[in-house]
Amino acid sequence: MDKRRFTPKQKKIIAGIAIAVFVLLLAAVGWFVGRPMLRFARQPELFRSWVEAHGIWGKAAYVGMVMLQVLVAIIPGEPLEISGGYAFGAVWGSVLCLLGATLGSILVFAFVRRWGIALVEVFFPPEKLRSLRFLQSSPKRDALFWLIFTVPGTPKDLLCYFAGLTDLRWTKWLLICTVGRIPSILTSTVGGNALGTRDYRFALLVFAATLFISGIGWLLYRAVCRRHACKNKGGSPQ
């Protein structure tokens, strides 16, 4: 058996090639699968017809679409969640969406643990990663992860990739990426279900409340990031 060991330079080259292949595969899947997926998300009535025609395979395909959305962080997740509620109803839409999001989050966590920051920087600029650097050393890191991940409106795809850079344990990550997603998924699928049943007044109420909560969540997320950034610089938050 060949016991030759790779030099650090060779390891970097191999890792770079592996990341490039991974990104190219994601790009290909995003092009051939992501585009029709977004068309379905924009036309939920078309997606519902497609699902009804494919039975259980329609559900499996939806789970795969949500997984892909988490992996390819540039694909927006909200329209897909609404489409899930429209096509499957609030309960099944939430279950399937949560399953796909959890599986996608597990894959992202595993990939980042394998390839490190080089993979994360493919999808996110360095300044966004620096804004979350406090999560690597804060004594309240786990609680902050829960808070940021649970509140609607926060960048969960970024957090999925960043989590793999920390020493967060697998068990805690599984809890965060499942239970933590429930509030934002429920608001989208319930609204999508209301659209599907033509209860437009309730749908408008749900989406308005979601938008309001998401706005608060985003402001809270920015405030937490700014507070820790100022603390690290020895200053005070503005």
Side-chain angles (χ1 to χ4, degrees):
M1 184 174 70
D2 184 7
K3 295 185 178 180
R4 184 187 63 166
R5 294 187 177 181
F6 294 109
T7 65
K9 183 177 180 180
Q10 288 173 324
K11 288 180 179 179
K12 285 184 178 180
I13 292 173
I14 292 171
I17 293 172
I19 291 171
V21 171
F22 174 72
V23 171
L24 286 173
L25 285 173
L26 281 185
V29 173
W31 179 261
F32 293 108
V33 179
R35 286 192 309 158
M37 181 178 82
L38 290 175
R39 188 184 71 217
F40 278 147
R42 294 190 189 102
Q43 298 176 291
E45 67 283 355
L46 180 64
F47 184 46
R48 174 187 274 180
S49 300
W50 185 86
V51 163
E52 291 174 350
H54 289 79
I56 191 171
W57 293 110
K59 293 183 174 65
Y62 177 70
V63 171
M65 290 176 182
V66 177
M67 285 178 59
L68 176 63
Q69 183 275 318
V70 177
L71 284 168
V72 187
I74 59 173
I75 298 176
E78 189 76 16
L80 196 61
E81 294 171 2
I82 294 172
S83 294
Y86 190 102
F88 302 106
V91 176
W92 271 109
S94 298
V95 170
L96 295 173
C97 188
L98 183 60
L99 176 60
T102 300
L103 292 175
S105 300
I106 290 171
L107 286 176
V108 167
F109 194 79
F111 288 145
V112 174
R113 281 285 168 92
R114 175 65 182 85
W115 287 316
I117 195 169
L119 176 62
V120 183
E121 288 179 339
V122 171
F123 297 100
F124 301 101
E127 58 269 19
K128 284 195 174 183
L129 299 178
R130 284 195 294 269
S131 71
L132 291 176
R133 193 173 293 168
F134 67 89
L135 288 174
Q136 291 179 314
S137 56
S138 173
K140 299 179 180 178
R141 182 198 61 191
D142 294 353
L144 287 170
F145 253 111
W146 272 104
L147 175 65
I148 297 173
F149 214 85
T150 303
V151 176
T154 54
K156 293 175 180 56
D157 293 336
L158 170 60
L159 288 171
C160 281
Y161 274 86
F162 189 84
L165 298 174
T166 70
D167 61 354
L168 195 67
R169 289 184 299 175
W170 269 99
T171 50
K172 284 188 177 180
W173 173 240
L174 287 173
L175 282 173
I176 291 172
C177 72
T178 50
V179 179
R181 285 186 183 274
I182 291 176
S184 60
I185 287 177
L186 276 178
T187 54
S188 298
T189 53
V190 167
N193 179 62
L195 288 176
T197 57
R198 292 185 171 85
D199 191 350
Y200 300 120
R201 182 176 297 179
F202 182 64
L204 181 61
L205 180 63
V206 170
F207 291 137
T210 301
L211 184 63
F212 177 73
I213 295 171
S214 296
I216 293 176
W218 175 252
L219 292 174
L220 178 62
Y221 164 74
R222 291 294 299 273
V224 169
C225 290
R226 282 199 302 268
R227 178 174 177 271
H228 283 273
C230 291
K231 185 184 295 184
N232 291 336
K233 291 179 181 178
S236 58
Q238 300 297 319

